[in-house]
Amino acid sequence: MIEKVREIVKKECDERNWKFHISHVVKYAKLLAKKLNADEELAELGALLHDIGRIKFGAKNHEITGIHEAEKILKQLKYTKEIIDEVKHCVESHRGSGNIKPKTIIAKIVANADAMAHFDTVFVLFQVGMKRHNNIEKAVEWVYEKIERDWNKKLTIPEAMLSG
Ligand SMILES: [Fe+2]
Ligand SMILES: [Fe+2]
């Protein structure tokens, strides 16, 4: 069933998003799940869908807009309520800047994997910063702030700091 979710997310996002972000988050989420003996498939589901709000509706409040969207996709595929609730929590808590903090191990894994993926793809973040600010200095500053936020607020699992 997870292949279906993979397919749907891949179809929804542009190649850049998949190649330079989502696939990295999936990679780290699975790695962390393995290290922490957590459910790898659930971690992958959370990783696949954590940014679905941003992918469909843009960055603003995407930790909120993504909740309903993730639910819709998983309901269609007849996932259990338990799994759906877990993934929704991954979505709502994945942003370092948001109010809701990750409470479950899977949500923590997704938030950490999200940060780790950013460290992998700083050059892509810079491009996003340039798009936002159209100014190199401001773009660099934006990337620094983002990485700092990731480091301070999202990296909560010791294993994540060692394996990035
Ligand atoms: Fe996000
Ligand atoms: Fe993300």
Side-chain angles (χ1 to χ4, degrees):
M1 231 168 8
I2 194 152
E3 299 83 42
K4 273 260 176 293
V5 181
R6 233 178 265 144
E7 234 170 71
I8 290 168
V9 175
K10 225 171 175 176
K11 218 192 272 168
E12 290 290 349
C13 64
D14 54 42
E15 209 194 327
R16 199 187 71 168
N17 247 315
W18 177 264
K19 209 167 162 187
F20 296 117
H21 186 60
I22 305 296
S23 65
H24 290 260
V25 183
V26 168
K27 172 182 75 185
Y28 285 123
K30 287 172 82 172
L31 192 101
L32 285 174
K34 194 175 241 164
K35 282 195 179 199
L36 300 171
N37 280 322
D39 187 328
E40 271 182 66
E41 189 164 327
L42 200 47
E44 178 169 359
L45 269 183
L48 282 169
L49 290 166
H50 82 283
D51 268 342
I52 194 70
R54 180 173 63 75
I55 287 162
K56 288 207 81 163
F57 312 109
K60 199 171 173 228
N61 298 328
H62 72 272
E63 73 281 21
I64 308 294
T65 59
I67 300 174
H68 179 65
E69 213 43 44
E71 183 171 31
K72 218 167 80 183
I73 291 169
L74 294 175
K75 261 192 180 159
Q76 253 171 22
L77 297 170
K78 309 246 180 315
Y79 273 97
T80 62
K81 185 182 181 299
E82 206 186 354
I83 291 179
I84 295 174
D85 284 347
E86 179 65 83
V87 172
K88 279 162 75 181
H89 179 56
C90 291
V91 175
E92 68 182 3
S93 66
H94 84 274
R95 289 186 97 178
S97 53
N99 292 327
I100 303 169
K101 302 278 167 270
K103 285 193 277 277
T104 61
I105 186 66
I106 298 293
K108 281 180 191 155
I109 285 172
V110 170
N112 276 260
D114 194 26
M116 288 158 83
H118 287 152
F119 303 147
D120 259 9
T121 55
V122 169
F123 60 96
V124 180
L125 286 183
F126 176 70
Q127 255 193 343
V128 177
M130 277 304 279
K131 244 193 196 164
R132 283 188 179 217
H133 298 290
N134 204 16
N135 170 299
I136 294 179
E137 272 170 39
K138 280 196 177 142
V140 169
E141 200 180 311
W142 181 81
V143 174
Y144 270 129
E145 278 169 12
K146 190 168 178 63
I147 291 291
E148 209 172 293
R149 207 163 52 227
D150 280 337
W151 187 261
N152 292 331
K153 293 202 171 161
K154 289 200 200 177
L155 273 196
T156 54
I157 301 176
E159 281 83 352
M161 295 182 198
L162 300 172
S163 52

